[in-house]
Amino acid sequence: MQDAKEKIIRYYKGTEGESMAVKLVDFAAQAVKSRKCKLTGFLSPFEQEMAGVIANSLGELNVDFYGGYRGAERQRAAFCHAEFQGTPNFEIAVIKAQWNGEFARLGHRDVLGSIMSLGVDREYIGDIIATKDFARLIVDKKMCDYFTANLTQIGSTAVKTSVDDLENISPKEERVKEIKSTVASLRVDSIAAAGFGMSRSKAAQEIAAEKIQLNWQMVKNASQSIKAGDILSMRGRGRLEVAEIRGQTKKGRVGVLLKRFF
């Protein structure tokens, strides 16, 4: 198993996922050693993909994911030894933070910023579901008392926090729009422009501003190549799947089928 662990860490070395790869490999190794389950913190979609790769590579392991409700983006992973017969306990709770929506307009970024200002590690926080006058925070269950005692304001707005019920969260319903287009090339800026409805120069600006991710990793260069199955996400604009690449037109452009999720 040691060789497999080292191979995984080498694969992610030098990428933004390197430190998380080391941490996830350690979690997986503990599950193998104990022949039980080991629970991670909340993971981004890219980190969940890493957890799946690690479980498959080390063998003897299954990995399950849960984020508190169907369709959750950030989820915890439970590495479970193949001999484990129980059901993983994901230790997830929900905190409701309420404010007067008539006088304050707060969104996801405001809520997350206030949480992070408390010195809480991101791994303890799952999805944040914000509405006009309250937000539900999916959290590690052991953090409930801390949040109800310390999350008293978001920005300059006073909030009242309480423990809520996971059953009160509706499953996420996404709208999907199919986009048939032709692009000059399979560069990430071309695909982003076609899918998010902007010029290619604007897409390049958004990439430079670090607003666009490819397969949940920040795009470093507008000329990166795209392939079928890739996922582009843009801050504030949703997610884009490259469903099909359909070959060249007579004018030398490339036909693509994109699916945009809102």
Side-chain angles (χ1 to χ4, degrees):
M1 187 176 74
Q2 186 63 32
D3 288 346
K5 289 167 58 177
E6 292 176 355
K7 184 177 180 180
I8 293 166
I9 292 170
R10 281 198 307 272
Y11 179 79
Y12 289 105
K13 190 172 181 62
T15 72
E16 59 187 272
E18 180 179 359
S19 60
M20 181 55 71
V22 173
K23 186 179 291 188
L24 291 175
V25 164
D26 184 55
F27 277 119
Q30 289 179 51
V32 171
K33 184 176 181 180
S34 68
R35 308 183 86 77
K36 296 180 180 179
C37 274
K38 183 65 178 178
L39 186 64
T40 73
F42 286 95
L43 306 176
S44 69
F46 171 58
E47 291 164 346
Q48 293 165 40
E49 185 178 292
M50 291 171 59
V53 170
I54 289 167
N56 288 335
S57 299
L58 296 187
E60 301 182 84
L61 285 179
N62 298 312
V63 62
D64 292 321
F65 300 96
Y66 186 55
Y69 67 105
R70 183 164 58 82
E73 179 172 296
R74 291 180 60 79
Q75 301 188 41
R76 304 188 80 170
F79 288 109
C80 296
H81 192 272
E83 296 178 0
F84 179 74
Q85 298 297 314
T87 301
N89 185 345
F90 286 89
E91 298 292 329
I92 290 175
V94 58
I95 297 291
K96 187 175 184 179
Q98 296 177 275
W99 59 84
N100 189 331
E102 295 298 321
F103 300 101
R105 292 289 185 268
L106 302 175
H108 181 282
R109 188 175 300 180
D110 303 302
V111 179
L112 180 59
S114 293
I115 293 171
M116 302 304 286
S117 71
L118 295 174
V120 178
D121 287 342
R122 191 69 174 95
E123 67 181 80
Y124 293 114
I125 311 298
D127 285 2
I128 297 171
I129 306 157
T131 67
K132 177 185 174 184
D133 47 17
F134 69 87
R136 287 192 174 99
L137 326 175
I138 312 297
V139 302
D140 186 316
K141 187 176 287 187
K142 63 175 175 283
M143 298 296 291
C144 282
D145 290 344
Y146 182 83
F147 282 121
T148 54
N150 293 282
L151 185 59
T152 57
Q153 64 180 53
I154 296 173
S156 58
T157 302
V159 299
K160 179 182 178 181
T161 55
S162 59
V163 178
D164 202 356
D165 197 320
L166 283 169
E167 278 69 32
N168 290 332
I169 301 176
S170 300
K172 183 180 290 186
E173 299 293 339
E174 289 187 307
R175 292 184 296 120
V176 183
K177 177 183 179 182
E178 285 197 351
I179 301 168
K180 297 177 182 178
S181 183
T182 61
V183 292
S185 72
L186 293 176
R187 287 168 47 119
V188 66
D189 55 353
S190 291
I191 297 295
F196 292 118
M198 64 181 73
S199 69
R200 186 165 163 180
S201 60
K202 177 61 175 175
Q205 290 174 18
E206 301 289 19
I207 289 168
E210 297 189 340
K211 293 184 179 180
I212 296 181
Q213 293 184 328
L214 171 60
N215 297 328
W216 316 109
Q217 296 186 80
M218 202 64 67
V219 176
K220 301 296 185 183
N221 193 315
S223 65
Q224 276 184 248
S225 293
I226 294 292
K227 63 183 184 302
D230 281 348
I231 302 291
L232 282 174
S233 52
M234 181 176 174
R235 193 185 308 161
R237 300 288 294 273
R239 203 169 74 250
L240 190 70
E241 177 188 347
V242 183
E244 293 180 28
I245 296 173
R246 295 177 162 177
Q248 286 194 340
T249 68
K250 293 180 179 179
K251 294 184 178 181
R253 294 175 65 84
V254 182
V256 292
L257 173 63
L258 310 174
K259 291 183 179 180
R260 185 172 173 188
F261 299 85
F262 299 85

